[in-house]
């Protein structure tokens, strides 16, 4: 099965990181130079962290984000939006490493800073809410996760143009959450909305659209709707093979899903 939660580029909280001087502690030209150098170092370390993270080197990314957070906190202070962004990125690296308990306080910290500084209805606040919700879903706290997903969805519906991939992402996450709770009809509705937005934004031949197709097909299979699931699975397989090749893990996974569907269909025919 393909992963259902598409997490945005999405860090670990240490009170010691916020004890360095804030920008206002630097006076005169020397202080301004130190501030600019610290901010530049923080930004470069953050970019390097994102680069290595996209290549699956999560331990290296964690160290780079940790160093970036120290530099950014010293230069800009603990409550700056850029600091919150780096906190979020560090939390993502920890989540990828499976250190969910360490990631949680960081996701909460980034969310709290963005909500306080940028406002309750800011798109970046919605992004933090979505990221925290995805973590809580993985930890089994479905109730708070759903509340945060819906909060992010309500913000994005008001503040960003439609169709927008951020909406598709949170709708997909809500579908995965409903599926985890056994609410397959509700999950199907969320997945269909996510598919419509992704198809409009990226087109039918995009990998993200194929991922939505696969997720929708799987929840239809959960409802024993083999006829409804088959065209979505086959379309997803065509896209993955065309874009990624036959041997890519996503292509292999969907190939296995199609084979499982055919096996179930033959079993249903023999039963009759």
């Amino acid at each position: 099965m393909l992963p259902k939660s598409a997490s945005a580029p999405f860090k670990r909280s240490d009170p010691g990181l916020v004890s360095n001087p804030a920008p206002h502690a630097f006076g005169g030209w020397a202080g301004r130079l130190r501030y600019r150098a610290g901010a530049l170092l923080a930004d470069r370390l953050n970019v390097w962290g994102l680069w290595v993270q996209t290549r699956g080197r999560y331990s290296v990314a964690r160290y780079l984000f940790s160093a970036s957070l120290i530099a950014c906190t010293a230069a800009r202070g603990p409550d700056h939006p850029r600091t919150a962004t780096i906190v979020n990125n560090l939390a993502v690296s920890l989540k990828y490493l499976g250190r969910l308990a360490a990631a949680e306080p960081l996701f909460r910290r980034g969310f709290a800073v963005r909500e306080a500084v940028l406002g309750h209805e800011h798109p970046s606040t919605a992004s933090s809410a979505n990221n925290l919700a995805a973590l809580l879903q993985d930890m089994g706290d479905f109730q708070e996760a759903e509340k945060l997903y819906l909060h992010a969805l309500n913000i994005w519906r008001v503040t960003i143009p439609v169709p927008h991939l951020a909406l598709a992402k949170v709708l997909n996450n809500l579908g995965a959450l409903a599926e985890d709770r056994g609410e397959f009809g509700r999950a199907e509705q969320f997945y269909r909305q996510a598919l419509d937005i992704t198809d409009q934004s990226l087109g039918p031949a995009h990998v993200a659209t194929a991922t939505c197709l696969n997720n929708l097909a799987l929840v239809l299979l959960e409802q024993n709707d083999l006829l409804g699931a088959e065209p979505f699975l086959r379309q997803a397989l065509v896209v993955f093979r065309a874009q990624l090749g036959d041997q890519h893990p996503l292509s292999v996974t969907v190939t296995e899903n199609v084979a499982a569907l055919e096996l179930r269909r033959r079993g249903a025919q023999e039963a009759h």
Side-chain angles (χ1 to χ4, degrees):
M1 179 182 293
L2 297 180
K4 303 187 197 79
S5 295
S7 298
F10 286 1
K11 313 186 187 142
R12 161 188 160 133
S13 169
D14 183 350
L17 298 181
V18 300
S19 61
N20 296 293
H24 59 72
F26 300 138
W29 67 268
R32 289 193 294 274
L33 182 61
R34 287 176 61 195
Y35 165 73
R36 290 174 182 172
L40 179 62
L41 174 62
D43 291 344
R44 287 187 173 178
L45 287 168
N46 182 59
V47 170
W48 291 338
L50 291 171
W51 187 83
V52 299
Q53 185 162 273
T54 60
R55 283 148 182 82
R57 299 172 63 186
Y58 303 127
S59 294
V60 177
R62 178 174 68 87
Y63 284 116
L64 289 168
F65 291 139
S66 296
S68 175
L69 181 56
I70 293 172
C72 193
T73 303
R76 297 181 172 118
D79 298 327
H80 193 280
R82 287 293 298 167
T83 306
T85 296
I86 296 167
V87 166
N88 179 80
N89 293 343
L90 177 55
V92 171
S93 67
L94 289 167
K95 183 173 183 283
Y96 285 148
L97 289 167
R99 298 178 56 182
L100 305 187
E104 182 182 358
L106 288 163
F107 277 126
R108 291 190 183 278
R109 175 180 164 189
F111 178 47
V113 169
R114 283 176 167 173
E115 194 169 43
V117 176
L118 301 176
H120 191 68
E121 305 296 330
H122 194 279
S124 293
T125 304
S127 179
S128 286
N130 180 74
N131 293 350
L132 175 57
L135 178 78
L136 293 172
Q137 179 180 347
D138 288 345
M139 298 175 74
D141 188 348
F142 296 158
Q143 185 173 359
E144 187 178 2
E146 181 175 16
K147 179 180 177 182
L148 287 165
Y149 279 142
L150 291 173
H151 179 51
L153 181 62
N154 290 335
I155 293 173
W156 277 328
R157 277 179 167 162
V158 172
T159 59
I160 61 178
V162 177
H164 195 285
L165 290 179
L167 288 171
K169 176 175 65 176
V170 72
L171 286 164
N172 186 71
N173 290 349
L174 279 164
L177 179 62
E179 190 172 357
D180 287 344
R181 299 171 81 164
E183 301 170 353
F184 301 125
R186 191 162 176 250
E188 179 186 344
Q189 293 175 6
F190 286 129
Y191 283 145
R192 287 188 184 277
Q193 292 178 66
L195 175 60
D196 288 343
I197 292 172
T198 307
D199 191 32
Q200 291 179 56
S201 301
L202 300 175
H206 196 277
V207 168
T209 305
T211 300
C212 291
L213 288 164
N214 180 78
N215 292 347
L216 176 57
L218 294 181
V219 81
L220 290 171
L221 287 175
E222 293 281 6
Q223 300 173 83
N224 294 315
D225 185 359
L226 276 64
L227 289 176
E230 183 172 5
F232 292 124
L233 269 183
R234 293 194 180 279
Q235 186 179 348
L237 183 58
V238 169
V239 174
F240 282 132
R241 283 178 170 173
Q243 300 297 329
L244 304 174
D246 291 353
Q247 303 306 312
H248 190 277
L250 294 180
S251 300
V252 172
T253 297
V254 180
T255 299
E256 293 171 351
N257 290 344
V258 171
L261 182 148
E262 292 175 345
L263 185 62
R264 284 180 61 179
R265 184 174 58 192
R266 285 197 297 270
Q269 291 171 346
E270 291 171 1
H272 288 84

